[in-house]
Amino acid sequence: MWYLKLILVIVFAIVLYQDFKSRLVYWFLYPIIGILAFWIQLKMVPFSIALTNIGFNLLFVTLILGISFIYIKLRKLQFSNTIGIGDVLFFVFIAASFSIVSFLVLFVFSLLFSLILHLILSNKKEQSSVPLAGYMSLFFGVVYTASLCYNDTFLYAY
């Protein structure tokens, strides 16, 4: 299973590089992330539990995106200017990665990590877009790299 995690970390690195370089990521990398993450999860838990995890994780992602959409409408902003389709795809496909509690914690901390990293790295002079999928790829890449070295059964506990 270590080879699946290694491939997944490499795909995360590609997403990070492309998002930083041009804010454009090949769309097919997101389904690869979802498939690899789901495959790794299937090695740890039964199929029915993995589907339940994905269902609740997608429900959480939908809730986050729904609240974001309402906020954007109330502020009279354009949805396409605030969050990219790549970010939405990343949210959807990363939902196949972990158990419910682990996903909630890691997802929230990846968003906080992205905010802090962007505040540190951003140039104050210009208003720029945030490579959110790239930052989150870095975070989840570190999580999967750490899981190569340590026992990671707690990430999939149900």
Side-chain angles (χ1 to χ4, degrees):
M1 182 165 54
W2 64 270
Y3 53 89
L4 292 175
K5 290 181 183 179
L6 184 62
I7 294 168
L8 185 57
V9 169
I10 291 169
V11 174
F12 280 139
I14 293 169
V15 170
L16 174 66
Y17 174 75
Q18 287 183 346
D19 208 12
F20 270 116
K21 181 182 167 203
S22 61
R23 300 292 194 271
L24 296 171
V25 179
Y26 293 131
W27 68 268
F28 60 85
L29 293 175
Y30 299 118
I32 291 173
I33 288 172
I35 290 167
L36 287 172
F38 184 68
W39 197 354
I40 293 168
Q41 186 178 174
L42 276 180
K43 300 275 186 184
M44 303 298 280
V45 297
F47 185 74
S48 61
I49 300 296
L51 285 181
T52 303
N53 289 342
I54 290 176
F56 277 103
N57 293 347
L58 283 174
L59 187 65
F60 176 71
V61 166
T62 303
L63 179 70
I64 294 293
L65 290 173
I67 291 171
S68 299
F69 183 74
I70 291 170
Y71 176 77
I72 290 166
K73 285 297 181 188
L74 290 176
R75 295 282 314 252
K76 296 183 179 14
L77 302 171
Q78 288 184 338
F79 193 75
S80 62
N81 290 340
T82 54
I83 188 166
I85 189 70
D87 300 330
V88 173
L89 287 173
F90 187 83
F91 288 3
V92 168
F93 285 106
I94 201 67
S97 57
F98 300 110
S99 69
I100 300 164
V101 174
S102 297
F103 178 75
L104 295 178
V105 170
L106 290 172
F107 191 82
V108 169
F109 275 97
S110 72
L111 290 173
L112 289 172
F113 172 80
S114 300
L115 174 66
I116 292 167
L117 192 60
H118 184 69
L119 290 175
I120 291 170
L121 297 178
S122 68
N123 188 355
K124 305 285 187 213
K125 297 175 190 168
E126 63 183 49
Q127 191 75 351
S128 64
S129 61
V130 178
L132 183 60
Y135 289 148
M136 291 179 74
S137 292
L138 176 62
F139 182 86
F140 281 104
V142 169
V143 168
Y144 275 104
T145 302
S147 75
L148 285 169
C149 304
Y150 299 103
N151 184 4
D152 62 348
T153 55
F154 65 92
L155 292 173
Y156 305 99
Y158 56 95

